[in-house]
Amino acid sequence: MNNILNNLNVIHNRMIKACKKANRAKEEVRLLLATKTVEPNCINFALEQGETLIGENKVQELKQKCHSVKEKNPEVHFIGHLQSNKIKEVLKWVTCIESIDRLSVAEKLQNKLAQENKQIDIFIQVNTSFEKSKFGVAPNETIELIKNIAKFKNIHIKGLMTIGLLSSKSNEIRKCFQLLKKIQKEVIALNIPNVEMSELSMGMSKDLEIAIEEGATIIRVGTAIFGDRIYPDSYYWNESDKS
Ligand SMILES: *Cc1c(COP(=O)(O)O)cnc(C)c1O
């Protein structure tokens, strides 16, 4: 637990430094704890230190952990690949789905929301790195997707999400985040009803500084806080289902 406390301090200091460099107020950037594979007691410890936002990738984990952390009342986002048959379960726990990347799943989400008389916030996940293995709508198809999803009355588009290129070349990573920012500006200029574009969820353990410099409003950090995971990221990110 000492490690987690220490790591949280390191992350907040990195955020402060990056905000300063980018001439932004620290309050403009929220820290989301990416809690996949993390034990509930570790998540609860982080929440006790004042963290307020967590993100899960898998519905099974979401369900188990939300039970264990609900006393702390964190805001919960879904950040993983959403399968249509899991929508009902996800809606029980989260206020925002950051990973909507196709019309078919948004349609099913809208149907379920209407049935249950619920509303939800979403971000559109964009594949800014153009890697085939990554989820996310292609950058040049993003606006069309947003226009279509904007028609769904129970879904509110609040911003964009991306996973930057996994690379040691910071200029290549930066290009991904700049592309997301560019799409955000284009969408704002279109003034689409029922679309707000205030949030940019980008930046993780290794590239959060670049993301903050390029305009992130939410950074999603896992390993730099909770330590290495036993599963490779491909377990969470690769395409096993395009329902
Ligand atoms: C795991 C994960 C993160 C956090 O990645 P780290 O490198 O552990 O900081 C961020 N976003 C998504 C979508 C993730 O699945």
Side-chain angles (χ1 to χ4, degrees):
M1 295 295 171
N2 260 338
N3 280 346
I4 295 174
L5 181 59
N6 193 47
N7 293 344
L8 279 172
N9 285 331
V10 170
I11 292 295
H12 282 287
N13 283 329
R14 285 173 63 185
M15 291 171 73
I16 289 168
K17 247 176 122 175
C19 284
K20 262 199 191 132
K21 189 172 169 197
N23 242 320
R24 304 180 62 196
K26 167 126 200 302
E27 295 70 39
E28 289 178 41
V29 186
R30 277 186 90 186
L31 173 61
L32 176 147
L33 309 176
T35 49
K36 55 177 179 270
T37 76
V38 178
E39 292 294 327
N41 60 329
C42 296
I43 303 171
N44 273 320
F45 179 81
L47 295 172
E48 278 160 17
Q49 311 314 308
E51 297 305 330
T52 57
L53 175 59
I54 68 176
E56 276 291 342
N57 296 64
K58 293 240 181 237
V59 176
Q60 197 55 32
E61 280 186 64
L62 178 75
K63 194 171 153 181
Q64 287 165 356
K65 280 184 240 172
C66 283
H67 266 299
S68 323
V69 304
K70 64 176 181 237
E71 246 171 60
K72 306 282 187 306
N73 214 10
E75 186 178 334
V76 185
H77 290 188
F78 191 74
I79 61 173
H81 181 62
L82 183 59
Q83 293 167 261
S84 311
N85 59 349
K86 303 282 170 62
I87 288 173
K88 192 182 162 84
E89 190 62 37
V90 167
L91 288 179
K92 288 186 193 158
W93 305 106
V94 312
T95 54
C96 177
I97 300 171
E98 296 199 8
S99 44
I100 296 294
D101 62 0
R102 59 208 192 283
L103 190 59
S104 60
V105 81
E107 239 160 19
K108 286 173 186 138
L109 180 61
Q110 168 59 30
N111 290 341
K112 189 59 77 184
L113 287 162
Q115 265 174 30
E116 301 192 356
N117 199 17
K118 279 185 180 171
Q119 310 275 318
I120 199 157
D121 293 341
I122 66 158
F123 301 165
I124 302 296
Q125 181 173 357
V126 184
N127 184 355
T128 56
S129 64
F130 300 93
E131 292 164 286
K132 281 210 179 66
S133 63
K134 291 275 184 66
F135 294 118
V137 61
N140 64 357
E141 293 167 8
T142 304
I143 288 179
E144 190 60 29
L145 179 63
I146 289 176
K147 283 181 180 166
N148 284 319
I149 295 179
K151 294 171 193 154
F152 297 138
K153 297 219 162 19
N154 301 54
I155 299 179
H156 307 293
I157 303 175
K158 291 287 166 91
L160 305 173
M161 185 271 253
T162 201
I163 298 173
L165 186 71
L166 298 178
S167 162
S168 53
K169 295 193 190 124
S170 58
N171 59 324
E172 297 295 319
I173 301 170
R174 190 178 297 276
K175 276 186 207 159
C176 298
F177 299 151
Q178 287 173 334
L179 178 54
L180 202 70
K181 182 76 194 179
K182 178 171 163 265
I183 297 170
Q184 179 197 34
K185 283 186 183 157
E186 287 171 4
V187 175
I188 290 172
L190 290 172
N191 233 324
I192 305 164
N194 191 27
V195 176
E196 211 182 287
M197 267 287 128
S198 51
E199 302 286 350
L200 283 185
S201 177
M202 58 189 192
M204 314 194 300
S205 290
K206 293 198 177 115
D207 54 18
L208 66 93
E209 283 86 357
I210 305 172
I212 289 173
E213 285 167 29
E214 299 303 333
T217 61
I218 295 177
I219 57 167
R220 310 177 307 270
V221 181
T223 46
I225 295 170
F226 299 109
D228 286 333
R229 290 179 291 267
I230 50 170
Y231 298 108
D233 283 337
S234 58
Y235 176 67
Y236 288 91
W237 292 345
N238 272 7
E239 317 212 1
S240 52
D241 159 89
K242 269 268 177 190
S243 55

